[in-house]
Amino acid sequence: MVHMDCVRKAHSCTTDPRKAAQEFHAMVSQPGMSLVIFFCSSEYHLDALAEEMKHLFGEVLVVGCTTAGEIGPAGFRDHSLAGASFAGSHFRVVAGQVDHLQQFEVDAGQAFAQSLLHKLMAEGAPADVDNSFALLLIDGLSLREEPVTRAFQTALGRLALLGGSAGDGMKFDKTQVYWDGQFCSDCAVLVLVVSRMPFRIFKTQHIVATEDRLVVTEADASCRVVKEINGLPASQEYARMLGIDASDLNPARFAAWPVVLTIGGTTYVRSIQKANADGSLTFFCAIENGLVLRVAKGVDLLQNLEQAFAEIRAEIGPPQLVLGYDCILRKLEITQSAARERIGEVLQENNTVGFHTYGEQFRGVHVNQTLVGIAFGANAVETSHV
């Protein structure tokens, strides 16, 4: 039996915050909502947006964050509001917030995640790896994604965790998460979901490693700054590997030539945010002394995306909704690509709603330059219950 109305997606492109919230509410509102999730531009007057969202949705659980660009039925957008609602008939949800991330302690984080899991179980929703997952939204400038993600995933065991780091366009000034009717920084929201709908968690990237090795010889992991590579100033050595001058480094170069780390045979992208005046490089994730990285290059992003969705469709059929968290560096590459329109069409054809991030979280690892997400099929699993 097909249940197409158990999730509803929306995308408002008006720049007035209250009108955007009203348009969004009109499109996603449905009886018995258990969760509403949204992604919005930081260009909105966020206090006004928060106030209107609280007024419209009342006691419904609503979570969201600011972005580096929004993805929805209207395609790739800036200064818009996109998201979806989930019906309580098919989704059982619990959620909570962790603030003061600068003082985050792993033990406390694990206890928080375990308490949410116990709450879900206590409400009569049997949670297991086949019917449950976790969503994370986190301040993208907190620099705390690694310990938070690891702690939560450890506590959740085999339940898959995925999420995105909030953005603020290309300003890198203030990123915020929405919880309990207001936007806040230095915080994270964890959402646990038991679903009657079939779903598939996925991660895709179009990055392949070259043979060029970079050994991190001096780094400040807490600040995500690499000072030296191969014993030389980091930006100078990285630029030399690319065959360019360090003065020519820019976001487009970083998007085209990230670096990768191999862990247990799996390749994880470690993307560069910016080159600094002192010759160091700031990354989107923590880099430690002694790590051996490889320069990487992009292959066909469109082909990789089409293949990822083909695999999803083969497993669960055409998705009625995909929540997608797509790296800001992929957005920069897509913007300059001749295939931009077709890439947007592929996302729209697969009912993708999401945002461009300052980082992605996938099964306990903080990653870069990937698209991570969860795709929901159209047919309810009648043998499970919520």
Side-chain angles (χ1 to χ4, degrees):
M1 182 177 180
V2 179
H3 299 269
M4 294 304 292
D5 283 335
C6 65
V7 295
R8 295 185 183 178
K9 63 185 187 298
H11 200 165
S12 172
C13 298
T14 181
T15 57
D16 180 277
R18 295 189 184 277
K19 288 182 180 178
Q22 291 162 9
E23 289 182 0
F24 177 75
H25 176 265
M27 287 184 276
V28 303
S29 183
Q30 58 177 310
M33 291 178 285
S34 59
L35 172 67
V36 172
I37 186 167
F38 74 91
F39 316 106
C40 69
S41 169
S42 62
E43 295 296 323
Y44 281 116
H45 187 297
L46 294 179
D47 287 343
L49 179 61
E51 184 178 272
E52 193 67 17
M53 292 288 279
K54 178 64 176 176
H55 169 71
L56 292 168
F57 286 100
E59 297 304 311
V60 174
L61 174 61
V62 182
V63 301
C65 69
T66 59
T67 79
E70 303 80 49
I71 304 168
F76 295 115
R77 294 284 179 161
D78 293 300
H79 207 161
S80 70
L81 170 65
S85 69
F86 298 80
S89 59
H90 287 75
F91 299 92
R92 181 69 61 85
V93 181
V94 299
Q97 180 209 39
V98 173
D99 55 13
H100 304 300
L101 292 184
Q102 299 311 305
Q103 287 79 48
F104 181 82
E105 296 180 354
V106 171
D107 289 347
Q110 291 181 3
F112 165 78
Q114 287 172 344
S115 70
L116 282 183
L117 189 56
H118 292 155
K119 181 179 180 182
L120 192 66
M121 298 286 200
E123 293 184 359
D128 59 46
V129 68
D130 295 321
N131 70 356
S132 305
F133 57 90
L135 301 174
L136 175 66
L137 297 176
I138 186 168
D139 180 347
L141 295 176
S142 67
L143 308 185
R144 303 300 287 162
E145 289 102 327
E146 287 91 355
V148 171
T149 305
R150 282 197 301 267
F152 288 173
Q153 185 65 78
T154 298
L156 297 172
R158 296 178 60 216
L159 265 62
L161 169 71
L162 70 151
S165 301
D168 66 341
M170 287 290 291
K171 295 192 293 290
F172 299 100
D173 178 44
K174 186 176 185 180
T175 59
Q176 300 186 67
V177 174
Y178 179 91
W179 170 257
D180 194 25
Q182 60 186 357
F183 285 93
C184 59
S185 295
D186 201 31
C187 67
V189 170
L190 180 64
V191 182
L192 305 188
V193 182
V194 177
S195 171
R196 282 185 60 195
M197 309 307 296
F199 61 83
R200 181 168 184 259
I201 308 287
F202 68 94
K203 173 175 78 75
T204 189
Q205 60 193 45
H206 66 296
I207 303 298
V208 295
T210 69
E211 293 302 313
D212 295 329
R213 297 169 75 250
L214 304 172
V215 180
V216 179
T217 48
E218 185 178 354
D220 185 341
S222 64
C223 297
R224 297 179 176 173
V225 171
V226 173
K227 299 178 180 179
E228 288 187 359
I229 292 172
N230 298 338
L232 297 170
S235 60
Q236 175 185 320
E237 180 65 357
Y238 170 75
R240 186 188 70 79
M241 289 284 191
L242 303 191
I244 63 174
D245 189 86
S247 62
D248 292 328
L249 293 176
N250 57 44
R253 302 277 192 188
F254 301 144
W257 299 92
V259 299
V260 297
L261 172 67
T262 301
I263 304 173
T266 300
T267 298
Y268 296 96
V269 183
R270 294 291 181 256
S271 297
I272 300 167
Q273 181 190 123
K274 61 181 178 178
N276 303 311
D278 63 0
S280 64
L281 294 171
T282 297
F283 281 72
F284 278 106
C285 58
I287 302 290
E288 298 175 349
N289 281 333
L291 287 181
V292 178
L293 308 170
R294 290 187 184 277
V295 176
K297 62 180 179 179
V299 293
D300 192 320
L301 190 153
L302 173 58
Q303 182 180 6
N304 173 263
L305 188 65
E306 290 178 328
Q307 180 181 344
F309 280 119
E311 292 172 357
I312 289 169
R313 286 171 170 265
E315 185 171 337
I316 63 172
Q320 64 167 317
L321 177 72
V322 173
L323 284 179
Y325 307 122
D326 198 30
C327 182
I328 184 175
L329 291 176
R330 286 171 57 92
K331 176 189 178 182
L332 293 176
E333 182 175 346
I334 291 168
T335 299
Q336 300 172 39
S337 170
R340 174 181 177 170
E341 287 191 11
R342 178 56 191 152
I343 292 169
E345 289 172 356
V346 171
L347 293 173
Q348 288 173 299
E349 289 167 2
N350 289 279
N351 294 316
T352 305
V353 170
F355 73 105
H356 295 292
T357 77
Y358 280 3
E360 306 80 60
Q361 294 81 50
F362 186 78
R363 297 187 184 275
V365 181
H366 179 56
V367 295
N368 302 133
Q369 215 151 338
T370 63
L371 168 64
V372 306
I374 179 168
F376 298 93
N379 296 312
V381 182
E382 300 297 345
T383 56
S384 65
H385 65 281
V386 175

